[in-house]
Amino acid sequence: MSCKLQAVLFIACFFSASVSAAPQNTLLIRQGYLLPMIANGQDQPSTDILIRNNQIVQIGKNLVAADAKIIDARGKYVMPGFVDAHNHLWVTTMRGQFRNKQGKFFPVSNKLAKKMQPDDIWLAMYSGSLELLQSGITTTGDFFDNIHGPAWGDAGFRALEKSGIRAIMYYGGPDKTTKRMIDLTHLAELKKQSTDRVQLGLGWRIPRDLSSQQNWAMRDKEYRFAVQHNLPIQVHVSGDARAMFDALIDRQYLSPSLTVIHASDALPQQLNALQKSGGGLVLTPVSEQRVGYGLTLLNHFEDVERQGLGIDGNALSGGANMFETLRTAALTESGKAKDETLPDARQLLALATRRSAESIGLGELTGTLEEGKRADIQIINPNTLNMAGFGGGDPAALIVYSAQPENVETVIVDGRIIKADGKLQGINLEEQLRATNASAKKLLEHSESQM
Ligand SMILES: [Zn+2]
């Protein structure tokens, strides 16, 4: 594709999102096996879900709606969409570069990050969002920490909006050094454009040098701004995690607005302080183990109620695959405990749905199948070789240990059908892949020419 055509497409995509109307439709999902994932709730075999506009309005047997588009879910599992509570979608166009000849994640991604222009951001985040959606992930908490100016922030926001995913875009700084202040004016500007599908938050970082009073003063200003504007906040606690955690406790930053990411090696008293504060925690088992933070042992964190799972970069984790994330977490725990019964498959599914939504403050909107909630739904078709041979018992174990993104046949977000019959709807995938790969190639060439 010519650069000119690419530019035209980019501009077209960029602006079409802002004029797209809210979905006006009625859907009836018929006779699926429902796993509503409500705390202490029961599965509901052969049950219907009626959706009007963006909401689940009724769940029951033999529902009738003359105006509805029918989705036949007989013999299939109907679940809430997965909630990826922490990601960095702008990293999507760095796939295959880590553990490649160039080596480690942070030096490689930091170098390539600087080369990204707003159209590169758009492509990475749009394509990354589509990848999440096609694997049954209907919500992402995207920590966007590569914003070099308002055009970069706008590009990311439009990409999330256009893709159809539900998201909190945690507005971050231009890099990981935390020397510059986050553009709070632009963040406030974008917040005015946000909806309950694409919301804004603060992608906060604390000083690398924990003794730098000057840096803390700047970070404190950002934090206060977020609290004042009712923005949710995410912060990484990794590397020297214990010292960072102590700094958050000592400076009294733990609060229900704050979600802590990773917290590998956190001490029990630190996790206890987080729990008492009402704050959230997100674990990203695949990326945490891949970058060498240690083993992600779910039982170490079990006292923190508001807890969820994240992908933490589709390219870093290899792919946007919540089934793989669940299996990694499960096998790490059973291997370490030498107990094949741990952890419980149903609890894992709850962690990736209801609890993930709660961990980032979206529990009122999504994460379960309940009347009144937004219609964020995935339908899993088990009629494939990799899920064949299931004679009965709890299907949660079948889904956790055998399902793949390819089994996610239908995805609905905010009442809109995003994937049907195994295919993303209304997407020219070939064109999208070509543009995304071209952007990745350009980034690499630019960075190598300056090595
Ligand atoms: Zn992260």
Side-chain angles (χ1 to χ4, degrees):
M1 180 171 55
S2 72
C3 289
K4 201 171 166 194
L5 177 58
Q6 193 174 335
V8 169
L9 272 180
F10 168 63
I11 290 164
C13 295
F14 198 86
F15 289 108
S16 63
S18 54
V19 293
S20 64
Q24 295 289 322
N25 58 353
T26 302
L27 303 174
L28 181 57
I29 302 175
R30 270 219 179 118
Q31 294 184 6
Y33 182 100
L34 269 53
L35 294 95
M37 302 317 300
I38 299 165
N40 306 315
Q42 299 288 318
D43 288 354
Q44 298 178 42
S46 197
T47 300
D48 303 342
I49 301 180
L50 180 63
I51 297 161
R52 287 201 192 276
N53 297 324
N54 63 359
Q55 233 176 31
I56 297 175
V57 293
Q58 205 178 352
I59 296 176
K61 305 270 185 193
N62 306 315
L63 301 182
V64 178
D67 56 335
K69 177 180 167 58
I70 307 292
I71 299 173
D72 184 359
R74 278 174 300 179
K76 296 167 190 170
Y77 299 111
V78 183
M79 277 184 58
F82 288 131
V83 176
D84 158 32
H86 179 76
N87 208 321
H88 302 264
L89 289 169
W90 62 267
V91 181
T92 302
T93 42
M94 299 174 193
R95 193 151 357 222
Q97 296 310 317
F98 320 121
R99 296 199 177 170
N100 202 327
K101 60 174 179 174
Q102 298 204 57
K104 296 181 176 177
F105 172 68
F106 290 111
V108 173
S109 61
N110 289 344
K111 191 172 70 177
L112 294 176
K114 295 192 186 94
K115 306 289 169 197
M116 294 183 86
Q117 296 303 309
D119 56 343
D120 298 310
I121 293 288
W122 193 92
L123 285 165
M125 288 180 63
Y126 183 63
S127 159
S129 300
L130 294 183
E131 186 191 0
L132 295 175
L133 288 163
Q134 75 152 4
S135 66
I137 296 170
T138 51
T139 299
T140 185
D142 190 59
F143 197 104
F144 184 7
D145 50 345
N146 191 15
I147 301 182
H148 296 269
W152 281 253
D154 287 340
F157 183 76
R158 300 288 169 234
L160 293 169
E161 218 180 23
K162 172 80 178 165
S163 72
I165 202 162
R166 184 177 304 286
I168 297 177
M169 183 178 110
Y170 294 92
Y171 196 109
D175 53 46
K176 299 189 180 75
T177 63
T178 67
K179 283 181 189 144
R180 276 165 62 187
M181 185 126 166
I182 287 170
D183 184 348
L184 300 174
T185 311
H186 187 235
L187 168 52
E189 232 358 88
L190 277 182
K191 186 173 190 289
K192 285 186 203 149
Q193 300 172 41
S194 65
T195 58
D196 78 11
R197 185 169 66 76
V198 182
Q199 304 185 16
L200 265 295
L202 176 71
W204 195 51
R205 283 191 185 271
I206 61 176
R208 283 198 172 169
D209 174 5
L210 293 171
S211 65
S212 166
Q213 291 312 319
Q214 196 189 351
N215 201 320
W216 271 115
M218 198 155 56
R219 305 285 77 102
D220 189 65
K221 217 180 258 183
E222 294 166 346
Y223 184 96
R224 302 288 156 214
F225 177 91
V227 171
Q228 193 191 341
H229 289 80
N230 208 16
L231 294 164
I233 308 167
Q234 286 202 347
V235 67
H236 289 86
V237 172
S238 52
D240 194 359
R242 285 182 184 171
M244 289 172 82
F245 218 138
D246 274 342
L248 290 173
I249 296 169
D250 295 345
R251 290 171 182 268
Q252 300 185 323
Y253 284 122
L254 297 185
S255 83
S257 304
L258 187 78
T259 298
V260 168
I261 315 300
H262 305 313
S264 312
D265 297 331
L267 297 165
Q269 60 266 34
Q270 293 177 322
L271 295 171
N272 193 25
L274 179 63
Q275 168 61 15
K276 274 195 183 145
S277 76
L281 170 73
V282 179
L283 304 171
T284 66
V286 177
S287 77
E288 284 163 3
Q289 301 196 45
R290 188 165 182 186
V291 296
Y293 288 162
L295 298 178
T296 305
L297 290 161
L298 295 179
N299 59 355
H300 179 65
F301 301 97
E302 68 190 2
D303 290 340
V304 182
E305 224 169 275
R306 281 183 58 203
Q307 183 183 144
L309 294 175
I311 301 292
D312 198 21
N314 303 4
L316 172 59
S317 288
N321 187 336
M322 193 57 87
F323 303 108
E324 184 192 24
T325 300
L326 292 174
R327 289 194 276 274
T328 301
L331 298 177
T332 306
E333 186 163 338
S334 57
K336 174 78 179 174
K338 297 184 178 170
D339 182 347
E340 65 170 305
T341 67
L342 293 174
D344 177 68
R346 192 153 283 261
Q347 284 176 17
L348 285 169
L349 282 186
L351 195 54
T353 52
R354 183 186 76 248
R355 295 189 65 196
S356 263
E358 289 167 355
S359 77
I360 54 172
L362 294 181
E364 297 287 312
L365 287 182
T366 192
T368 59
L369 302 181
E370 275 177 276
E371 291 172 5
K373 282 217 177 169
R374 296 290 182 269
D376 294 351
I377 298 171
Q378 58 175 322
I379 302 178
I380 296 174
N381 181 358
N383 301 311
T384 54
L385 285 172
N386 65 300
M387 292 185 81
F390 179 64
D394 188 353
L398 171 70
I399 293 168
V400 167
Y401 289 103
S402 299
Q404 295 289 356
E406 292 71 26
N407 294 101
V408 179
E409 188 177 75
T410 302
V411 175
I412 297 167
V413 184
D414 216 34
R416 182 180 150 205
I417 300 176
I418 303 278
K419 186 180 186 185
D421 299 322
K423 282 202 173 73
L424 290 171
Q425 300 296 289
I427 304 290
N428 184 342
L429 202 54
E430 207 179 321
E431 195 59 60
Q432 184 60 32
L433 293 177
R434 199 173 321 164
T436 304
N437 289 338
S439 168
K441 193 163 182 266
K442 186 187 75 182
L443 284 181
L444 206 59
E445 281 167 2
H446 282 190
S447 75
E448 278 172 350
S449 66
Q450 289 174 18
M451 276 168 78

